């Protein structure tokens, strides 16, 4: 029989990686909560129409990347390719505006896109993101960006560059789109098929093309900055001044447009210069989407947000060892279990304590403790059990403690 394998483009997250994921998620949750963002969990599938109306009928996502199926009642459903549309749907459906604006929300979870799998690109991937709904362009954009940077820095990432651009308001964007279309018309024969289609359907998106030869050609494209009206210019200048004041370093990338339909004003991406990610080096991306809520049937409401890819981020954070932890070496597995249970409880389940169910040979247990990366071994043979005194040895440094009372033991191990 053929071996069963995880579907192409999906992966199992195993022990060491899962620790990185937990660290990313817990750090994110702490940072967002401290900034007054509430978690929102929305369904993994939605009606297909939600994405065709939000992400855009002619976007790459809707055109060729969606996992769409009909259920047993003939409804067309789609595994969510991104979460902003779902969150806006939930915001409208539950009239969250009645709870006061802005609504500051964050989410995490799997997304699904039928893409060609490669390093940093999967068919099921995971995002963490934030959305601030109901605040005009201005300071909130800066806070949203700053939260992304804080999270990446807290996780120990260096080598990051924030790229930022503006798409201006609708009028500026329209004027620019026309100019860009004229330019694209003149290079039609030299660009990829996707870009030929983009020329007709959504010229801006050509600038987001991943083909290097096309990118070369687009160096000659007009710049959005020559088409900004006064309002757009003022908002853009304020954004840059705010970044300076907050001491956030940035680079302006006039060709940064983002792949989705709904953006306006400020758009940004944080890229890593680490070799780890190859071409897939954008870790976090987002921008302002003032038209989306209206497009989905809500009141006109400005909003801004970003999403980051957990897989890409996890491959960049420095290897984390097991944090602390104790392995009980004993010739009586039940006695070891009883002590493990008590130690975990007295450390509020914050100390990792393990033991050997088979009470195998002393050396074998010690080897296992070292191999699994525990900081401490506790020797719990009949002598120690009778005396009520504990002996522990640090497996990384040459430190030992003998004759410890239970209280002292708990104190020393407390993480
Ligand atoms: P890319 O330009 O790399 O295709 P995108 O513009 O399609 O990215 P977004 O929709 O903005 O990506 O998603 C935000 C982040 O989610 C990306 O910066 C990336 O970190 C991650 N991401 C997007 N698609 C994938 C994927 N197929 N596999 C893994 N991570 C992904
Ligand atoms: Mg993409």
């Amino acid at each position: 029989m053929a071996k069963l394998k995880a579907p192409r483009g999906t992966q199992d997250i195993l022990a060491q990686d899962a620790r990185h994921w937990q660290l990313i998620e817990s750090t994110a949750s702490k940072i967002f909560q401290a900034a007054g963002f509430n978690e929102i969990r929305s369904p993994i599938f939605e009606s297909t129409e939600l994405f065709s109306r939000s992400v855009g009928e002619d976007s790459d996502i809707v055109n060729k990347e969606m996992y769409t199926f009909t259920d047993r009642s003939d409804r067309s459903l789609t595994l969510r390719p991104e979460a902003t549309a779902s969150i806006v749907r939930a915001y409208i459906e539950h009239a969250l505006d009645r709870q006061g604006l802005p609504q500051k929300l964050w989410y995490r979870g799997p997304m699904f896109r039928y893409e060609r799998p490669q390093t940093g690109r999967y068919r099921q991937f995971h995002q963490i993101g934030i959305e601030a709904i109901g605040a005009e362009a201005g300071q909130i954009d800066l806070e949203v960006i700053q939260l992304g940077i804080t999270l990446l820095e807290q996780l120990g990432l260096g080598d990051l560059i924030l790229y930022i651009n503006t798409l201006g308001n609708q009028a500026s964007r329209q004027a620019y789109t026309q100019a860009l279309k004229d330019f694209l018309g003149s290079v039609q024969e030299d660009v990829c098929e996707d870009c030929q289609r983009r020329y007709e359907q959504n010229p801006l998106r050509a600038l987001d093309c991943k083909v290097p030869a096309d990118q070369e050609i687009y160096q000659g494209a007009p710049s959005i900055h020559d088409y900004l009206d006064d309002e757009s210019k003022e908002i853009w200048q304020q954004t840059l001044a705010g970044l300076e004041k907050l001491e956030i370093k940035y680079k302006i990338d006039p060709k940064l447009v983002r792949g989705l339909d709904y953006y306006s004003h400020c758009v940004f991406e944080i890229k890593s210069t680490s070799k780890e990610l190859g071409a897939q080096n954008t870790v976090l991306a987002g921008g302002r989407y003032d038209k989306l809520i209206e497009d989905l049937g809500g009141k006109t409401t400005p909003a801004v947000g970003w999403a980051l890819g957990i897989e890409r981020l996890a491959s960049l954070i420095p290897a984390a060892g097991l944090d602390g932890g104790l392995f009980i070496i004993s010739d009586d597995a039940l006695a070891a279990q009883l002590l493990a249970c008590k130690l975990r409880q007295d450390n509020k389940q914050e100390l990792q304590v393990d033991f050997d169910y088979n009470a195998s040979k002393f050396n074998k247990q010690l080897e296992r403790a070292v191999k699994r990366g525990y900081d401490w071994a506790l020797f719990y043979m009949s002598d120690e059990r009778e005396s009520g005194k504990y002996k522990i040895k640090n497996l990384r440094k040459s430190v030992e403690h003998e004759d410890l009372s239970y209280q002292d033991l708990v104190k020393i191990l407390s993480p």
Side-chain angles (χ1 to χ4, degrees):
M1 205 169 31
K3 259 198 200 153
L4 290 173
K5 282 187 171 170
R8 187 166 144 77
T10 71
Q11 51 179 352
D12 300 306
I13 306 303
L14 304 175
Q16 184 59 34
D17 284 338
R19 277 177 187 275
H20 281 161
W21 284 50
Q22 284 172 354
L23 180 70
I24 292 171
E25 291 183 355
S26 60
T27 310
S29 140
K30 228 188 252 169
I31 290 174
F32 299 152
Q33 204 157 337
F37 282 69
N38 291 318
E39 186 175 4
I40 171 166
R41 299 188 188 213
S42 64
I44 278 171
F45 58 83
E46 298 268 1
S47 68
T48 301
E49 188 195 351
L50 173 66
F51 302 112
S52 48
R53 274 175 58 184
S54 57
V55 179
E57 201 72 73
D58 51 285
S59 65
D60 283 352
I61 288 183
V62 174
N63 247 319
K64 52 183 190 188
E65 294 177 0
M66 291 211 303
Y67 278 92
T68 297
F69 59 97
T70 44
D71 73 1
R72 289 167 196 271
S73 311
D74 262 346
R75 295 182 190 91
S76 179
L77 298 171
T78 293
L79 297 182
R80 64 177 181 196
E82 57 112 44
T84 303
S86 305
I87 290 174
V88 168
R89 192 237 347 107
Y91 168 89
I92 299 169
E93 187 170 334
H94 304 290
L96 293 184
D97 58 331
R98 286 200 215 131
Q99 297 173 13
L101 294 179
Q103 278 289 309
K104 301 203 282 185
L105 304 165
W106 77 276
Y107 61 86
R108 61 178 140 187
M111 310 293 155
F112 305 85
R113 296 183 196 173
Y114 192 81
E115 300 201 69
R116 190 171 69 77
Q118 50 194 297
T119 308
R121 200 175 284 290
Y122 308 95
R123 290 181 175 173
Q124 174 173 335
F125 63 100
H126 299 74
Q127 286 183 335
I128 292 179
I130 64 178
E131 316 286 357
I133 306 179
E136 296 287 348
Q139 194 168 342
I140 200 149
D141 303 45
L142 299 170
E143 195 184 22
V144 160
I145 293 173
Q146 191 179 40
L147 280 171
I149 292 172
T150 304
L151 172 57
L152 298 178
E153 281 179 355
Q154 183 90 33
L155 289 167
L157 264 75
D159 310 327
L160 298 171
I161 302 175
L162 166 68
Y163 290 93
I164 187 159
N165 194 25
T166 180
L167 298 176
N169 57 16
Q170 237 175 313
S172 306
R173 188 176 154 152
Q174 259 164 18
Y176 175 60
T177 306
Q178 191 49 54
L180 183 64
K181 198 163 181 188
D182 294 344
F183 167 81
L184 293 175
S186 69
V187 295
Q188 271 305 278
E189 302 199 333
D190 310 320
V191 298
C192 73
E193 251 174 56
D194 277 340
C195 280
Q196 291 173 10
R197 180 173 49 77
R198 289 170 185 139
Y199 167 73
E200 288 299 337
Q201 295 179 340
N202 190 333
L204 265 191
R205 215 176 269 119
L207 297 181
D208 202 35
C209 179
K210 301 281 183 300
V211 178
D214 286 15
Q215 276 307 329
E216 198 69 28
I217 293 169
Y218 298 146
Q219 289 301 318
S223 162
I224 175 81
H225 295 270
D226 296 327
Y227 295 84
L228 297 178
D229 62 13
D230 288 345
E231 183 204 44
S232 303
K233 264 189 207 152
E234 198 185 319
I235 291 176
W236 175 232
Q237 288 311 327
Q238 279 168 2
T239 306
L240 297 184
L243 287 171
E244 309 265 344
K245 206 159 194 180
L246 294 168
E247 297 175 5
I248 297 174
K249 292 203 189 76
Y250 61 88
K251 284 191 179 165
I252 298 172
D253 176 359
K255 302 269 156 32
L256 176 61
V257 292
R258 311 276 307 111
L260 311 182
D261 257 2
Y262 47 60
Y263 289 106
S264 55
H265 292 294
C266 133
V267 288
F268 50 87
E269 291 189 349
I270 297 180
K271 293 192 189 200
S272 160
T273 51
S274 148
K275 290 193 189 76
E276 203 70 43
L277 288 175
Q280 271 56 253
N281 61 351
T282 306
V283 180
L284 179 153
R288 177 158 280 282
Y289 50 95
D290 290 350
K291 235 174 82 32
L292 179 61
I293 291 132
E294 185 185 336
D295 284 352
L296 289 177
K299 286 180 233 153
T300 309
T301 311
V304 58
W306 55 250
L308 67 76
I310 299 185
E311 283 82 357
R312 293 186 196 180
L313 182 52
S315 70
L316 291 176
I317 62 176
L322 246 179
D323 211 8
L326 169 85
F327 196 91
I328 300 172
I329 295 177
S330 179
D331 51 4
D332 180 340
L334 271 177
Q337 180 170 344
L338 191 65
L339 179 62
C341 181
K342 201 158 146 37
L343 277 170
R344 291 173 194 145
Q345 223 155 35
D346 290 336
N347 275 289
K348 301 195 181 62
Q349 307 296 342
E350 278 174 14
L351 176 72
Q352 182 167 350
V353 185
D354 206 356
F355 59 93
D356 179 15
Y357 296 105
N358 300 322
S360 15
K361 289 214 176 74
F362 183 92
N363 278 346
K364 211 166 158 193
Q365 292 192 40
L366 191 60
E367 245 170 57
R368 183 169 302 170
V370 172
K371 201 164 151 199
R372 296 206 181 155
Y374 283 92
D375 270 2
W376 296 98
L378 182 145
F379 304 104
Y380 200 47
M381 301 311 204
S382 58
D383 281 357
E384 284 92 4
R385 287 200 297 278
E386 271 156 32
S387 70
K389 294 288 179 189
Y390 297 87
K391 180 179 170 188
I392 56 173
K393 182 179 160 57
N394 192 302
L395 298 171
R396 297 176 194 272
K397 307 170 208 149
S398 57
V399 177
E400 273 189 33
H401 298 283
E402 280 184 340
D403 288 333
L404 293 172
S405 68
Y406 181 76
Q407 277 73 20
D408 287 343
L409 175 67
V410 172
K411 217 181 268 169
I412 288 177
L413 294 173
S414 137

